[in-house]
């Protein structure tokens, strides 16, 4: 694994990306994985404990063969009974934040779109929301996250480097990623998530759950008004608290100490305004891996619901598509267990000239179907803007 001391342009790193490579950009480092020494696609149901052991075995093997600090880049589906993808790159470039210059070109990436299909339709999605509200009222279910997709056909094959650059340019504080999840063909999971599931460095852990959203307007006064409305919304504060409480509860057994503010703050992305809480703590056992900690949280109420099992069951009952890697986790882990795992939202699967974009909204008893549908439409905008599609797709 190469670590460079001199500054390198992010645009040059992305330009070196080829189909099948792996790319991750986080606030602390940028990783480009060229090809792979080993690609592990596990078809049988695999617990996180077993997955962690598989990763540790692979990393130990390459470490013993002389690599100073090998890493695995991975994508794990929403449904953990489905196959994860783990990659040990053939060659890995790692750039720490201070060694990269983010001077990206401000050029639009425009695709010639032939067709856009909603699945489910906006009307059906609103009916799904209403069905969920009824279930919440009648059972112990407190929150469920419902998703929908845009399936886009383009005239030409999607060129990934300019798409990655477009995402990185407009989502500078988030987590940009591109990972080939296909087995025998290129099928790239690409996106720019704002949500960190877990970061481990030594014995320090940080999590940053998001829940409660408004569509960003980029009008300073209006965005300030929307942020204030979020901070005073009983519905959104409740939705956010459900997530934060679960994260603190699940992390507590791992921690000597844990810190979480009493009230959320505001996080702005290119297309959304979110309620955000940064949770930090010190591990009891520094040998605990980042994936072990991520496994305790996935899937969080921010992408599934609460209680988890009831929400997961309802999602499988009424969503008319397989989420695959949407609402899963994507990230990397080093040989010492350090790493970052990101919630796979604001993303798409790209295969030749087909793009499937995903977005979800958290449903609680006080939800309004039309507003939740509009929220998913707003969340589509991160990917739509990146491929040059403007206007509403609600």
């Amino acid at each position: 694994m190469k670590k460079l001391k001199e500054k390198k342009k992010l645009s040059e790193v992305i330009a070196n990306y080829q189909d099948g490579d792996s790319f991750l950009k986080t606030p602390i480092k940028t990783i480009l994985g060229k090809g792979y020494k080993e690609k592990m696609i596990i078809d049988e149901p695999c617990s996180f404990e077993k997955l962690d052991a598989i990763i540790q075995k692979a990393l130990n093997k390459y470490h013993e063969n002389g690599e100073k600090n090998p890493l695995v880049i991975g994508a794990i589906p929403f449904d953990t009974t489905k196959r994860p993808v783990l990659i040990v790159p053939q060659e890995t470039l790692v750039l720490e934040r201070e060694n990269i210059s983010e001077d990206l070109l401000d050029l639009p990436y425009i695709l010639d779109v032939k067709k856009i299909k909603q699945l489910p339709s906006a009307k059906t999605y609103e009916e799904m929301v209403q069905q969920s509200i009824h279930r919440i009222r009648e059972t112990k279910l407190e929150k469920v996250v419902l998703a929908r997709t845009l399936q886009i056909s383009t005239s030409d094959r999607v060129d990934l480097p300019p798409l990655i650059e477009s995402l990185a340019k407009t989502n500078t504080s988030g987590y940009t990623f591109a990972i080939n999840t296909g087995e025998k063909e290129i099928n790239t999971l690409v996106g720019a998530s704002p949500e960190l599931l877990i970061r481990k460095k030594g014995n320090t852990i940080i999590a940053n759950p998001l829940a409660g959203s408004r569509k960003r307007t980029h009008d300073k006064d209006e965005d300030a008004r929307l942020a204030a409305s979020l901070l005073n919304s009983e519905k959104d504060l409740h939705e956010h608290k459900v997530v934060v409480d679960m994260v603190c509860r699940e992390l507590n057994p791992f921690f000597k100490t844990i810190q979480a503010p009493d009230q959320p703050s505001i996080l702005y992305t290119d297309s959304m305004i979110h309620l955000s809480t940064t949770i930090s703590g010190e591990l009891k056992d520094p040998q605990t891996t980042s994936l072990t900690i991520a496994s305790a949280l996935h899937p969080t109420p921010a992408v599934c619901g609460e209680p988890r099992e009831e929400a997961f069951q309802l999602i499988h009952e009424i969503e008319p598509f397989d989420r695959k890697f949407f609402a899963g986790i994507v990230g990397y882990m080093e040989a010492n267990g350090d790493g970052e795992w990101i919630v796979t939202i604001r993303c798409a699967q790209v295969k030749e000239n087909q793009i499937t974009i995903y977005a979800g909204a958290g449903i609680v008893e006080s939800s309004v179907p039309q507003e939740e549908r509009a929220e998913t439409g707003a969340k589509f905008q991160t990917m739509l803007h990146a491929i040059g599609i403007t206007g509403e797709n609600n």
Side-chain angles (χ1 to χ4, degrees), residues 125 129 133 136 141-147 195 208-215 229-249 262-265 272-277 279 299-307 311 323 326 345-346 359-369 371-376 379:
Y125 183 80
V129 173
I133 294 170
I136 290 168
L141 186 65
E142 191 172 355
K143 173 185 175 180
V144 64
V145 178
L146 293 182
E195 187 164 3
N208 184 205
L210 309 178
S213 307
R214 296 284 187 275
K215 182 180 179 181
S229 77
L230 264 179
L231 290 168
N232 290 280
S233 165
E234 184 177 344
K235 179 260 183 189
D236 290 288
L237 289 171
H238 170 66
E239 181 185 341
H240 188 79
K241 187 175 185 299
V242 168
V243 180
V244 172
D245 286 351
M246 177 270 187
V247 172
C248 289
R249 183 176 68 247
D262 293 333
Q263 298 296 323
S265 58
M272 301 297 294
I273 306 170
H274 294 286
L275 290 177
S276 167
T277 295
I279 299 165
T300 74
V303 294
C304 181
E306 182 72 10
R323 288 188 176 188
F326 168 68
I345 53 176
R346 312 296 186 272
I363 315 304
V364 294
E365 186 176 353
S366 57
S367 289
V368 177
E371 292 177 0
E372 303 298 349
R373 185 262 304 153
E375 181 176 322
T376 60
K379 289 174 177 175

Side-chain angles (χ1 to χ4, degrees), residues 24-300:
L24 283 167
K25 177 186 174 296
T26 82
I28 66 170
K29 64 179 64 183
T30 296
I31 301 170
L32 175 65
K34 300 292 294 177
Y36 53 88
K37 293 177 181 176
E38 193 169 349
K39 185 171 184 179
M40 298 165 275
I41 299 176
I42 303 163
D43 289 320
E44 62 185 32
C46 183
S47 67
F48 268 98
E49 184 178 6
K50 182 177 178 181
L51 199 61
D52 195 43
I54 290 170
I55 292 175
Q56 286 291 303
K57 183 178 179 181
L59 292 175
N60 288 338
K61 177 177 68 176
Y62 292 108
H63 183 69
E64 289 168 2
N65 287 341
E67 288 196 36
K68 186 176 180 181
N69 192 18
L71 58 77
V72 162
I73 297 171
I76 298 170
F78 169 70
D79 182 347
T80 56
T81 66
K82 304 292 179 68
R83 64 178 182 84
V85 174
L86 306 169
I87 296 168
V88 180
Q90 180 67 40
E91 182 181 344
T92 310
L93 173 67
V94 176
L95 293 163
E96 304 297 334
R97 178 173 55 187
E98 63 270 19
N99 293 328
I100 193 153
S101 170
E102 298 189 13
D103 57 339
L104 295 170
L105 299 174
D106 194 14
L107 297 174
Y109 178 48
I110 299 174
L111 288 170
D112 182 15
V113 174
K114 293 170 62 178
K115 182 180 179 181
I116 300 179
K117 177 185 176 183
Q118 298 183 15
L119 181 68
S121 68
K123 181 177 183 296
T124 299
Y125 183 80
E126 291 178 12
E127 292 169 353
M128 289 162 53
V129 173
Q130 190 59 58
Q131 182 181 347
S132 299
I133 294 170
H134 177 74
R135 184 74 69 92
I136 290 168
R137 288 172 178 164
E138 297 297 320
T139 69
K140 66 178 182 178
L141 186 65
E142 191 172 355
K143 173 185 175 180
V144 64
V145 178
L146 293 182
R148 62 191 187 105
T149 71
L150 295 180
Q151 299 175 347
I152 302 172
S153 300
T154 63
S155 298
D156 300 312
R157 191 170 181 277
V158 178
D159 189 13
L160 285 167
L163 173 54
I164 295 167
E165 184 156 350
S166 181
L167 286 166
K169 177 69 178 180
T170 55
N171 297 277
T172 55
S173 61
Y175 302 81
T176 305
F177 53 88
I179 298 175
N180 175 27
T181 57
E183 186 169 0
K184 296 181 180 178
E185 53 195 3
I186 304 296
N187 191 342
T188 304
L189 175 69
V190 60
S193 174
E195 187 164 3
L196 173 69
L197 182 68
I198 208 79
R199 175 186 297 136
K200 176 186 182 291
K201 189 170 184 180
N203 66 345
T204 301
I205 293 293
I206 295 175
N208 184 205
L210 309 178
S213 307
R214 296 284 187 275
K215 182 180 179 181
R216 190 174 181 183
T217 67
H218 290 277
D219 176 278
K220 183 179 178 181
D221 292 337
E222 178 62 10
D223 283 347
R225 187 191 70 77
L226 291 169
S229 77
L230 264 179
L231 290 168
N232 290 280
S233 165
E234 184 177 344
K235 179 260 183 189
D236 290 288
L237 289 171
H238 170 66
E239 181 185 341
H240 188 79
K241 187 175 185 299
V242 168
V243 180
V244 172
D245 286 351
M246 177 270 187
V247 172
C248 289
R249 183 176 68 247
E250 296 297 330
L251 288 180
N252 191 59
F254 295 102
F255 282 5
K256 285 183 183 178
T257 59
I258 187 168
Q259 295 87 37
D262 293 333
Q263 298 296 323
S265 58
I266 292 294
L267 184 145
Y268 289 95
T269 71
D270 182 60
S271 60
M272 301 297 294
I273 306 170
H274 294 286
L275 290 177
S276 167
T277 295
T278 299
I279 299 165
S280 61
E282 182 183 357
L283 283 173
K284 291 177 182 176
D285 180 5
Q287 301 304 312
T288 306
T289 70
S290 57
L291 186 62
T292 295
I293 300 164
S295 72
L297 300 180
H298 176 65
T300 74

